[in-house]
Amino acid sequence: MKARTSCVGLKNLLQGLSFSVKYYSKHNHLQTIRLSSKIKPKKCYILDCSGSTYTCRTAPPGSILPWRFFSCKEGTKIPSKRKQNTSIITSELLYKNLVKSEQENWNNISARYEAMTKRIKAKLEELHNRYTFNSGSPRIKFGENVYFEENGCIFLSKADDDEGNVDILFSTEDLGFSDAFIQRIRISPDQRYMAISVKSENSEEATCVIMKLGHFPIMEKVIPNVFSFEWATNDVLYYTSQKNLKCQNVFMTTFTNQKHTKLVYTEQDARFFVDIYCTKDRRFLTINSNSKTTSEVWLIDCRQPFKLPALVQARTKGVIYHIEHRNDELYILTTYGEPAEYKLMKAPVASSGLENWQLVYALEEKTKLVDLEMFSDHSVMFLKKAGCLYLNVISFVSHSVHSVKLPTWACEFELESHPEHTTSTCYFQLTSPVHPPKRFAYSFKENNLIEQAVQEVPIITNCHTTRLLAKSKDETLVPITVFHNMNSKELHRKPLLVHVYGAYGIDLNMSFKEEKLMLIEEGWILAYCHVRGGGELGLSWHKDGCQHNKLKGLYDLKACIVLLHELGFSQPRYTALAAASAGGVLAGALCNSDPELIRAMVLQAPFVDVLNIMMKTHLPLTIEEQEEWGNPLADEKYMKYIKSYCPYQNIKSQCYPSVFITAYENDQRIPLTGVLRYVQKLRKAALDHARRTNKKGNCIPNIILDIQANGSHCISSWEDSLNEVARHLAFLNKELEVCHLQHQTKSCK
């Protein structure tokens, strides 16, 4: 029903286990090792990317995958010198000199943050060790076999094995993918083959490895530049290829006696992105061609995988739909009809046109559909409404809907894989920025929610959660979620970290992060502003904050910060703003329009040069992104409108907050050239203002650009991402003059 980045949940740690493993090495001789000695803990401390990190999560229905929602379209690769003219060479030298200058600048000033960064890293390590015991890897069960992935290895165990014996089926290190992580796993129906995608942190493209399983697993085939893939039958695999951030071709490859590969579908419209999905009952594969507002689905019959794909419904502008299957009927999750929110509809397979779609269930307005899972006799909708989480369980037998309100502390779902659609239980996890994931189950037989207690998860009791509504410029009420320590006194003197995103219909990332818990323990206030352009209140909330409505997101953000201060949550001198990727548009715009509201800002791979990028249609994602930002080349109104809020275009001589930006040399989505231009212009404006006013007490803000040689768009290794978070927090502690770390002295400048 939705495009998936990988098998849901295949990401967690295997730590402290001490059972033996049967392991076949590269030399094909049996080794018995201690699993804990083979595997080192894999940890992830990537800053909030608004649902866009690779955490094996599903995308919102009707959307492209979360990682595509980043606003960058340009890499920094240098053209072949044979084609270069003098101006290109000069530009290249200027670019290299700028990068070198920024790296030297950071090296010169990083010492002032070194001691605090080191202490923060130690604290984060401690918190990580304290809260990882509940992060056992979810299992994928096929009959008696259980598959799971940990730290670059894929394991097989038996469901009834109480001794903990497992076989290693795949190892990235042993097969030459030592710098890559496992992104997706698909097991063939008869379990003879396993397809795995592995991806380097420095690349957007993944490699698909097909293993022939058995007593000695063999690498059967390697396919480069693959995005999504599914097994149609025991030995027929469909996959999509990716090139320059685009995915428009679907291929079929066979592993029969006569092996062959052929192209089966090509998307011609540059606004559309193609992926493959398998219905839960494994009856059909779906070829999903999606733009940000429109979709089209083709069916591949898994019983006849060599037949041409069949069209479900031709694309209709503004109509998004996705397909599931049950009992010879297609279940269609779609935006068709009024109101323009998601509805579950159905139609016969043989006559699937829109005129035959029948309504099964419609969501209420201002309700966010996070995901939908289909089972043999039920479907489960995972919903957000008014800041709370719900399950809506639809019974296809009794034709009833059972709504379950989930615990109020929960802010985010973490969904698990259910490969057997006939199961009687739906498993999922609940989490929040300051609460580790806790596992729950819904029993279809008992019609009730079951809290899993396999391992005790400490729910944080000293953190208070407040949900507020700020009145924006047009009197629209904007939700805010606030966390603070219940023991904190004088909240108006506490540091406040505000989070914002507001683009692509993506929710702010509110899953658990150790650094958020650390800040709460040290007296910080955390605020999440669910502004328009995001998806927290459904599709209309996104529509009301994109294209010619982008400024509404800025007005929402300002209203949220003003309300927080009015209610006694900190004050401007202790307030910082955090954003990543497209969230940098609103954060940078606020710095230009209302810099007095905040003292500091941290940005990760920010999109701050909107107008220049949207003018370059030769870049791979520009045309696709016009549905979010508008087309300034075709419409003068969009040109003027984008220019009115673009962070780079609106820098002026005034007093700015201090800014810390992390950018990546290998980022193919956020152009480093745009970030460099932004930083240079911002520094000059701040310096000009300080010189012009020359008043006592005026200070020049610290504007720091940390260019990472490793990593790509908001994706880094454990060590690199830990360092990024620690540096950002050290910067904020210095700028806001916070002295809450226990090891620090009472006097702090």
Side-chain angles (χ1 to χ4, degrees):
M1 187 60 67
K2 58 275 169 188
R4 298 175 183 270
T5 54
S6 65
C7 275
V8 180
L10 292 178
K11 70 183 181 78
N12 296 311
L13 308 174
L14 189 62
Q15 190 174 24
L17 298 179
S18 59
F19 49 78
S20 296
V21 181
K22 287 181 286 183
Y23 171 63
Y24 293 95
S25 73
K26 287 179 285 187
H27 306 290
N28 287 334
H29 62 270
L30 184 64
Q31 293 183 347
T32 301
I33 62 171
R34 303 287 282 183
L35 191 58
S36 56
S37 68
K38 172 68 179 175
I39 300 175
K40 297 178 181 179
K42 178 175 67 177
K43 313 169 188 178
C44 185
Y45 277 103
I46 299 172
L47 282 178
D48 288 345
C49 289
S50 309
S52 52
T53 56
Y54 283 101
T55 52
C56 304
R57 244 178 235 183
T58 58
S63 303
I64 315 297
L65 297 179
W67 65 266
R68 292 194 56 73
F69 289 126
F70 298 135
S71 336
C72 128
K73 287 78 73 179
E74 182 177 25
T76 57
K77 295 181 180 179
I78 299 167
S80 170
K81 289 187 177 180
R82 287 176 296 176
K83 299 180 181 180
Q84 290 178 327
N85 56 35
T86 305
S87 63
I88 293 177
I89 295 174
T90 303
S91 177
E92 176 189 326
L93 290 173
L94 287 172
Y95 168 78
K96 287 183 175 180
N97 288 336
L98 270 178
V99 172
K100 183 178 179 181
S101 174
E102 290 296 341
Q103 290 171 334
E104 290 175 350
N105 180 62
W106 167 242
N107 290 335
N108 291 334
I109 64 176
S110 60
R112 74 177 70 162
Y113 304 105
E114 190 172 341
M116 187 174 291
T117 299
K118 184 177 180 181
R119 290 192 287 265
I120 291 173
K121 284 178 63 178
K123 178 67 173 177
L124 291 175
E125 289 271 20
E126 176 193 335
L127 286 171
H128 179 81
N129 292 333
R130 187 192 309 174
Y131 290 105
T132 53
F133 63 85
N134 68 300
S135 300
S137 175
R139 269 53 174 162
I140 301 176
K141 186 178 179 182
F142 282 86
E144 296 180 352
N145 291 333
V146 178
Y147 299 84
F148 61 99
E149 178 269 334
E150 299 292 355
N151 297 12
C153 295
I154 299 175
F155 300 93
L156 170 65
S157 66
K158 296 296 182 181
D160 57 355
D161 186 356
D162 297 327
E163 298 181 3
N165 295 312
V166 301
D167 293 330
I168 295 184
L169 303 178
F170 177 84
S171 168
T172 54
E173 182 178 351
D174 290 344
L175 291 176
F177 299 98
S178 57
D179 64 339
F181 60 90
I182 294 172
Q183 188 182 37
R184 174 190 288 232
I185 302 171
R186 292 294 185 265
I187 311 293
S188 66
D190 63 357
Q191 303 182 63
R192 286 194 300 126
Y193 292 97
M194 175 173 64
I196 311 116
S197 61
V198 292
K199 183 179 179 298
S200 166
E201 66 189 51
N202 294 322
S203 172
E204 291 279 359
E205 287 77 30
T207 298
C208 182
V209 181
I210 292 88
M211 301 292 295
K212 187 173 184 178
L213 303 180
H215 196 57
F216 291 91
I218 299 170
M219 187 161 63
E220 184 83 5
K221 188 171 186 175
V222 176
I223 311 173
N225 304 325
V226 171
F227 180 73
S228 60
F229 49 90
E230 295 286 353
W231 293 98
T233 65
N234 296 332
D235 45 24
V236 176
L237 182 77
Y238 278 76
Y239 65 90
T240 59
S241 63
Q242 182 178 343
K243 183 179 180 181
N244 294 331
L245 306 179
K246 290 182 175 293
C247 200
Q248 295 184 301
N249 292 322
V250 179
F251 294 88
M252 177 190 69
T253 187
T254 65
F255 297 88
T256 56
N257 292 333
Q258 296 181 341
K259 297 179 174 63
H260 72 281
T261 299
K262 73 172 184 177
L263 177 69
V264 296
Y265 177 85
T266 296
E267 174 57 58
Q268 302 292 342
D269 193 327
R271 296 171 301 166
F272 285 72
F273 186 91
V274 179
D275 68 5
I276 299 284
Y277 172 70
C278 183
T279 59
K280 286 294 292 293
D281 62 0
R282 299 204 57 83
R283 181 67 173 80
F284 292 100
L285 297 189
T286 63
I287 298 175
N288 310 297
S289 190
N290 301 308
S291 77
K292 288 183 169 59
T293 62
T294 305
S295 60
E296 180 177 87
V297 180
W298 297 74
L299 294 181
I300 298 164
D301 190 339
C302 291
R303 296 175 183 174
Q304 298 175 299
F306 300 106
K307 285 186 64 176
L308 292 174
L311 178 64
V312 174
Q313 164 62 41
R315 63 192 64 175
T316 303
K317 185 177 180 180
V319 175
I320 296 169
Y321 73 98
H322 296 275
I323 297 297
E324 262 293 354
H325 176 262
R326 174 183 175 270
N327 292 353
D328 293 324
E329 290 185 307
L330 298 180
Y331 281 78
I332 306 154
L333 188 63
T334 180
T335 60
Y336 173 68
E338 293 295 334
E341 297 291 345
Y342 277 108
K343 308 157 195 71
L344 185 62
M345 308 182 85
K346 67 178 182 178
V349 173
S351 51
S352 61
L354 190 135
E355 67 279 3
N356 297 313
W357 292 6
Q358 299 176 6
L359 181 65
V360 176
Y361 183 79
L363 288 180
E364 298 178 8
E365 291 190 77
K366 294 187 177 181
T367 300
K368 169 62 180 282
L369 177 62
V370 177
D371 210 337
L372 182 143
E373 281 278 13
M374 286 288 292
F375 298 88
S376 57
D377 293 324
H378 300 82
S379 72
V380 179
M381 288 185 168
F382 298 84
L383 307 173
K384 288 183 181 179
K385 184 177 181 181
C388 295
L389 304 187
Y390 293 82
L391 297 182
N392 273 10
V393 182
I394 302 172
S395 171
F396 299 127
V397 177
S398 64
H399 305 287
S400 62
V401 179
H402 184 209
S403 184
V404 181
K405 185 175 182 179
L406 299 171
T408 55
W409 60 263
C411 298
E412 200 80 79
F413 294 102
E414 292 196 359
L415 307 181
E416 298 186 12
S417 177
H418 300 89
E420 296 179 342
H421 78 291
T422 56
T423 182
S424 61
T425 308
C426 175
Y427 295 96
F428 59 94
Q429 297 183 57
L430 298 178
T431 183
S432 87
V434 297
H435 291 90
K438 188 170 182 61
R439 197 168 190 241
F440 289 80
Y442 184 88
S443 170
F444 300 130
K445 291 181 179 179
E446 304 295 332
N447 279 335
N448 64 356
L449 190 68
I450 304 166
E451 185 174 330
Q452 302 289 288
V454 177
Q455 291 174 305
E456 184 60 30
V457 179
I459 297 300
I460 312 304
T461 57
N462 65 340
C463 181
H464 185 69
T465 303
T466 304
R467 290 179 171 89
L468 306 171
L469 292 171
K471 187 176 289 188
S472 192
K473 185 177 181 179
D474 60 0
E475 299 194 347
T476 297
L477 296 179
V478 183
I480 315 170
T481 307
V482 184
F483 303 91
H484 67 84
N485 195 311
M486 294 180 66
N487 300 322
S488 292
K489 308 261 192 214
E490 298 183 312
L491 289 175
H492 67 285
R493 294 187 178 182
K494 299 298 181 183
L496 167 65
L497 183 58
V498 178
H499 303 76
V500 69
Y501 188 68
Y504 304 110
I506 297 291
D507 299 3
L508 270 171
N509 187 347
M510 298 188 71
S511 58
F512 176 68
K513 294 184 181 297
E514 286 88 346
E515 64 265 26
K516 307 305 181 188
L517 180 57
M518 184 192 78
L519 292 176
I520 291 295
E521 290 181 350
E522 293 173 359
W524 284 67
I525 304 165
L526 305 179
Y528 291 77
C529 302
H530 309 292
V531 303
R532 281 173 284 186
E536 287 87 345
L537 296 184
L539 297 175
S540 60
W541 196 246
H542 169 228
K543 187 177 180 180
D544 210 20
C546 70
Q547 293 194 341
H548 60 277
N549 291 320
K550 272 294 173 186
L551 278 171
K552 291 182 180 180
L554 174 60
Y555 302 146
D556 293 353
L557 176 59
K558 178 181 178 180
C560 290
I561 297 175
V562 169
L563 178 65
L564 289 166
H565 292 160
E566 288 177 350
L567 295 179
F569 291 106
S570 194
Q571 52 188 289
R573 63 180 293 193
Y574 299 131
T575 298
L577 183 59
S581 192
V585 175
L586 297 183
L590 184 85
C591 270
N592 289 328
S593 65
D594 300 276
E596 71 283 353
L597 289 178
I598 60 175
R599 176 67 184 85
M601 179 170 69
V602 289
L603 301 175
Q604 186 188 24
F607 189 29
V608 287
D609 195 10
V610 186
L611 184 59
N612 283 326
I613 297 306
M614 294 308 298
M615 299 280 284
K616 299 177 181 178
T617 55
H618 66 280
L619 299 176
L621 295 184
T622 299
I623 294 175
E624 178 184 319
E625 300 240 333
Q626 289 170 356
E627 292 181 314
E628 178 69 22
W629 308 98
N631 185 354
L633 292 175
D635 192 331
E636 183 70 21
K637 291 181 180 178
Y638 275 122
M639 171 87 73
K640 293 179 179 178
Y641 190 74
I642 294 174
K643 192 173 183 178
S644 72
Y645 66 78
C646 173
Y648 174 75
Q649 297 290 334
N650 291 280
I651 293 173
K652 54 194 172 188
S653 178
Q654 63 178 352
C655 184
Y656 276 97
S658 291
V659 180
F660 191 113
I661 298 176
T662 298
Y664 306 92
E665 281 194 78
N666 295 314
D667 194 336
Q668 294 176 254
R669 300 179 173 278
I670 298 296
L672 186 56
T673 51
V675 178
L676 286 166
R677 283 196 298 266
Y678 174 79
V679 168
Q680 296 293 318
K681 189 175 181 180
L682 188 63
R683 282 204 193 110
K684 184 179 184 302
L687 185 60
D688 288 347
H689 173 75
R691 288 172 175 169
R692 180 168 51 82
T693 55
N694 198 25
K695 293 180 181 178
K696 186 178 181 181
N698 272 5
C699 62
I700 301 173
N702 292 309
I703 299 173
I704 300 170
L705 175 58
D706 177 19
I707 300 174
Q708 294 292 303
N710 297 320
S712 56
H713 191 81
C714 298
I715 302 296
S716 302
S717 67
W718 150 245
E719 188 62 34
D720 288 341
S721 53
L722 172 62
N723 287 329
E724 286 176 31
V725 171
R727 285 193 292 266
H728 282 209
L729 297 184
F731 170 80
L732 293 179
N733 274 273
K734 290 282 189 182
E735 292 298 325
L736 274 57
E737 300 179 346
V738 177
C739 296
H740 291 285
L741 296 178
Q742 296 178 356
H743 45 262
Q744 286 189 274
T745 59
K746 292 183 179 179
S747 60
C748 174
K749 293 184 180 180

